[in-house]
């Protein structure tokens, strides 16, 4: 049985393993013991404190395999991406150069340094052990964060964002970084990525040019990488687009990976979630039903599992004693449930290839 719960101090060794096993290495999950210890402490403080509006809280979760007694995944929500330091991205823009005398009008694509995403809540720092990839554990860990946000909306922004790792070539090099950032930092992508994880990305504003970058002046390889996700994250991106996120005009400042965003109330996990009182029944007597994410009503003791979405004629969610024990709920207590599967329609993988930029703020 798998359960998503808040991280604990004893999870540090597992968090180190997951940070080291992330593909590619993540800026927001550095392989640095002190920073990971700090992450755990900040998360425990965030879950314990009273919050009326989002600030500099970091909520870090782990996925635990209770049969193995092992932590096998982690994911985080930053309540406000730029609460402490501005969260920098590049925003894709179009400039028009025109001359009536020469009868010339050209639209030129540019990238402009931006910190508009700073106000959003950021879903980040996701890493899962290899043997669980391609299973329901992926969706549970990725989307259980939404079940907490749905219960405690005052702690998070109405706008949610996710930044996906960008495209790297066969040698692990970032074509975008080599064409842009390397000229200003004179450091390899891997080195600057590690440095940003240990410190912060705020130093970008001190060194990177403040003027727009003209895409026509970049290498063809760099232009092709803009808004393109790392191959290992294609499935994750497709799922979150199916959830209701949209591609934005923003990309990562290091590798130009895509940044997606959504008004939280428009997400499937919010729209399809429902509260149900619990009825506990032996597992072998439960009717067959589609799987669902089921979460309890606790904050510091938040738990989310995958269970059957089996309802009684009176609307009670029928849970096995094992699931009820993991969730810490008794019969009659209410739990929040949302289908694990996303609605049919357009293939998320196809949708992921369509830029489909939203014309709103981001």
């Amino acid at each position: 049985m798998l359960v998503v719960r808040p991280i604990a101090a004893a999870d540090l060794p597992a968090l180190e393993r997951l940070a080291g096993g992330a593909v590619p290495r993540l800026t927001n999950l550095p392989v640095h013991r002190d920073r990971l210890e700090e992450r755990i402490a900040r998360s425990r403080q965030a879950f314990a404190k009273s919050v009326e509006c989002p600030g500099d809280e970091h909520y870090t979760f782990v996925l635990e395999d209770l049969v193995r007694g092992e932590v096998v995944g982690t994911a985080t929500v930053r309540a406000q991406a730029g609460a402490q330091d501005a969260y920098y991205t590049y925003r894709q823009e179009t400039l028009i150069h025109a001359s009536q005398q020469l009868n010339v009008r050209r639209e030129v694509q540019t990238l402009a340094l931006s910190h508009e995403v700073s106000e959003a809540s950021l879903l980040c720092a996701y890493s899962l052990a290899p043997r669980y990839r391609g299973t329901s554990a992926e969706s549970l860990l990725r989307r259980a964060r939404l079940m907490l946000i749905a219960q405690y909306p005052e702690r998070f922004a109405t706008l949610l964002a996710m930044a996906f790792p960008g495209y790297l070539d066969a040698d692990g090099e970032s074509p975008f970084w080599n064409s842009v950032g390397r000229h200003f930092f004179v450091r390899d992508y891997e080195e600057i990525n590690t440095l940003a994880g240990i410190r912060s990305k705020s130093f970008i504003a001190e060194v990177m040019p403040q003027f727009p970058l003209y895409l026509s002046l970049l290498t063809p390889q760099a232009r092709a990488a803009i808004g393109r996700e790392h191959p290992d994250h294609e499935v994750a991106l497709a799922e979150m687009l199916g959830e209701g996120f949209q591609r934005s005009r923003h990309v990562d400042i290091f590798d130009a990976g895509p940044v997606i965003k959504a008004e939280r109330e428009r997400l499937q996990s919010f729209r399809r979630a429902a509260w149900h009182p619990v009825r506990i029944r032996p597992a072998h007597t439960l009717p067959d039903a589609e799987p669902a994410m089921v979460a309890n009503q606790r904050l510091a003791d938040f738990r989310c599992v995958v269970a059957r979405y089996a309802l009684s004629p009176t609307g009670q969610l029928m849970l096995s004693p094992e699931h009820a024990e993991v969730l810490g709920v008794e019969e009659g207590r209410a739990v929040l449930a949302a289908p694990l599967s996303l609605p049919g329609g357009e293939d998320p993988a196809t949708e992921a290839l369509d830029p489909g930029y939203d014309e709103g703020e981001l």
Side-chain angles (χ1 to χ4, degrees), residues 36-311:
L36 295 178
E37 284 183 328
E38 179 183 328
R39 176 182 294 270
I40 293 174
R42 291 186 67 174
S43 178
R44 290 168 61 82
Q45 291 170 5
F47 276 104
K49 70 187 291 190
S50 176
V51 173
E52 295 182 356
C53 60
D56 195 28
E57 297 84 30
H58 290 203
Y59 302 87
T60 297
F61 302 83
V62 293
L63 177 69
E64 184 177 3
D65 187 327
L66 297 176
V67 175
R68 292 176 174 266
E70 181 182 359
V71 168
V72 298
T74 184
T76 295
V77 183
R78 291 169 61 178
Q80 191 175 63
Q84 188 173 43
D85 297 312
Y87 185 83
Y88 285 98
T89 61
Y90 272 126
R91 180 182 170 107
Q92 302 179 69
E93 304 280 5
T94 300
L95 296 182
I96 297 177
H97 292 255
S99 171
Q100 291 184 350
Q101 293 180 346
L102 299 177
N103 193 27
V104 172
R105 184 184 186 279
R106 294 291 303 276
E107 292 186 357
V108 181
Q109 304 302 312
T110 66
L111 293 175
L113 202 61
S114 169
H115 49 74
E116 294 176 19
V117 184
S118 294
E119 298 301 314
S121 290
L122 188 69
L123 280 67
C124 60
Y126 177 99
S127 180
L128 183 66
R131 66 173 172 269
Y132 294 87
R133 294 170 191 167
T135 71
S136 61
E138 282 192 319
S139 292
L140 173 62
L141 177 59
R142 190 174 295 123
R143 294 166 54 210
R145 293 172 289 185
L146 301 177
M147 300 292 278
L148 181 83
I149 296 172
Q151 294 191 54
Y152 301 95
E154 72 281 0
R155 291 177 171 264
F156 304 95
T158 57
L159 185 71
L160 306 182
M162 295 182 71
F164 284 85
Y167 173 77
L168 304 180
D169 63 22
D171 297 322
E173 294 286 333
S174 167
F176 182 80
W177 174 258
N178 288 339
S179 185
V180 179
R182 204 172 192 282
H183 295 295
F184 301 94
F185 287 91
V186 198
R187 300 197 183 196
D188 292 333
Y189 170 75
E190 190 67 35
E191 184 180 1
I192 201 70
N193 199 38
T194 301
L195 182 63
I198 295 175
R199 299 181 184 177
S200 75
K201 289 187 178 181
S202 61
F203 62 81
I204 292 299
E206 303 169 0
V207 182
M208 294 294 280
Q210 300 297 310
F211 300 102
L213 301 176
Y214 283 66
L215 268 59
S216 57
L217 301 180
L218 304 183
T219 64
Q221 294 84 355
R223 293 198 299 270
I226 295 173
R228 182 179 176 185
E229 70 277 9
H230 189 282
D232 285 0
H233 291 258
E234 291 176 354
V235 172
L237 177 57
E239 179 180 36
M240 298 315 287
L241 291 176
E243 173 72 60
F245 281 84
Q246 294 178 303
R247 287 182 180 268
S248 72
R249 296 186 181 276
H250 293 258
V251 297
D252 185 80
I253 53 178
F254 291 153
D255 57 23
V259 176
I260 62 175
K261 58 88 177 179
E263 296 288 341
R264 65 189 187 197
E265 300 302 329
R266 303 173 89 177
L267 296 178
Q268 293 295 334
S269 293
F270 283 72
R271 296 167 64 182
R272 303 170 73 202
W275 290 99
H276 299 282
V278 168
R279 174 183 287 183
I280 300 175
R281 292 292 181 269
H284 70 275
T285 66
L286 298 181
D288 191 24
E290 65 175 321
M293 297 181 293
V294 181
N296 62 11
Q297 294 188 62
R298 301 176 182 177
L299 177 62
D301 293 322
F302 175 80
R303 298 290 186 273
C304 187
V305 300
V306 172
R308 299 178 192 175
Y309 209 152
L311 298 180

